[in-house]
Amino acid sequence: MRSAAIILNSPAALPEIEEKELICADGGYLRIVGVEKKTVVIGDFDSLGAVPKGVSTLTCPTDKDYTDGEKAIRYAAEKGYEKAVLYGADGGRMDMQLSNLFLLKIACDLSLQAEINTPTERVFYTEKDFSFRCPIGKRVSVLPLGSPAKFLSSAGLHYPLEGLTLTCADTIGLSNKTIEKEFRFSLQSGGVLVFVEK
């Protein structure tokens, strides 16, 4: 599977970046200067200050109706990547953190598999069946994004999700725990963000 790391401009610490190809959203490039990997930098270069030399760039207008992170997601889909792993999506301004979570929904709409990877957790978005392998006892939070999410079934979680309908005003999906080495659930409708503790 062809995958790329998308590096966002955040003050938060980054976990190890395993992907061999990097797409940096503007100032995200400062997080990986000196890393010898195939790199493209996308943005209006307001936070970077200047267009970097010696790397591929895609310049966006200063006045635009999307973030540099969204442009990076769309670029990855256009270039045929099958998966994008976002780094630097946490930390900093809360409104930016929320919009970075929305990037997972945008990726889903573009048929691009995506996740957010932080030092402490991984975050996914799904509108269909979902399964994930991790050690027993890990924290899992499942929160609807947008419309209500209706669950048909679940397994491997301490608190079952089956039969639940969660709205964006519900907090019941927070802090579940894995009781098997794989947890899974099936959605009847809606979409959810899945936060998995590392």
Side-chain angles (χ1 to χ4, degrees):
M1 177 178 289
R2 188 180 178 210
S3 61
I6 294 180
I7 316 300
L8 303 178
N9 185 22
S10 164
L14 301 182
E16 182 179 351
I17 299 170
E18 298 178 2
E19 292 73 27
K20 293 180 172 51
E21 298 183 54
L22 309 180
I23 302 170
C24 298
D26 205 332
Y29 177 70
L30 296 172
R31 310 299 303 278
I32 56 90
V33 171
V35 174
E36 294 185 6
K37 293 186 179 185
K38 182 178 177 183
T39 304
V40 61
V41 184
I42 295 173
D44 55 15
F45 303 104
D46 61 341
S47 55
L48 192 52
V51 178
K53 296 179 180 179
V55 298
S56 298
T57 59
L58 178 62
T59 303
C60 302
T62 302
D63 293 326
K64 57 189 187 297
D65 55 2
Y66 52 84
T67 65
D68 295 328
E70 179 178 343
K71 183 63 176 178
I73 284 284
R74 294 188 181 280
Y75 176 87
E78 289 165 9
K79 293 300 180 181
Y81 289 96
E82 299 167 273
K83 181 179 179 181
V85 181
L86 286 75
Y87 297 85
D90 55 326
R93 290 169 39 188
M94 290 185 69
D95 56 345
M96 289 299 294
Q97 290 181 67
L98 183 58
S99 70
N100 289 340
L101 291 171
F102 295 162
L103 295 178
L104 297 177
K105 164 64 172 161
I106 293 170
C108 178
D109 291 345
L110 295 170
S111 299
L112 176 66
Q113 185 180 332
E115 69 173 85
I116 291 172
N117 190 342
T118 80
T120 59
E121 62 190 343
R122 295 169 70 184
V123 188
F124 307 88
Y125 174 78
T126 185
E127 296 175 353
K128 54 186 180 180
D129 295 352
F130 182 87
S131 64
F132 190 78
R133 293 187 63 82
C134 63
I136 293 172
K138 292 296 182 179
R139 183 183 67 252
V140 175
S141 294
V142 182
L143 302 174
L145 183 63
S147 60
K150 296 182 180 181
F151 295 85
L152 289 173
S153 63
S154 72
L157 294 170
H158 181 73
Y159 300 106
L161 300 173
E162 59 192 73
L164 285 179
T165 298
L166 299 180
T167 73
C168 61
D170 293 316
T171 59
I172 193 173
L174 282 169
S175 301
N176 211 327
K177 288 282 185 186
T178 56
I179 56 173
E180 298 176 12
K181 291 183 179 179
E182 179 180 87
F183 72 89
R184 55 199 172 278
F185 59 79
S186 178
L187 283 168
Q188 179 180 336
S189 61
V192 292
L193 291 163
V194 186
F195 300 78
V196 184
E197 177 188 16
K198 284 186 173 178

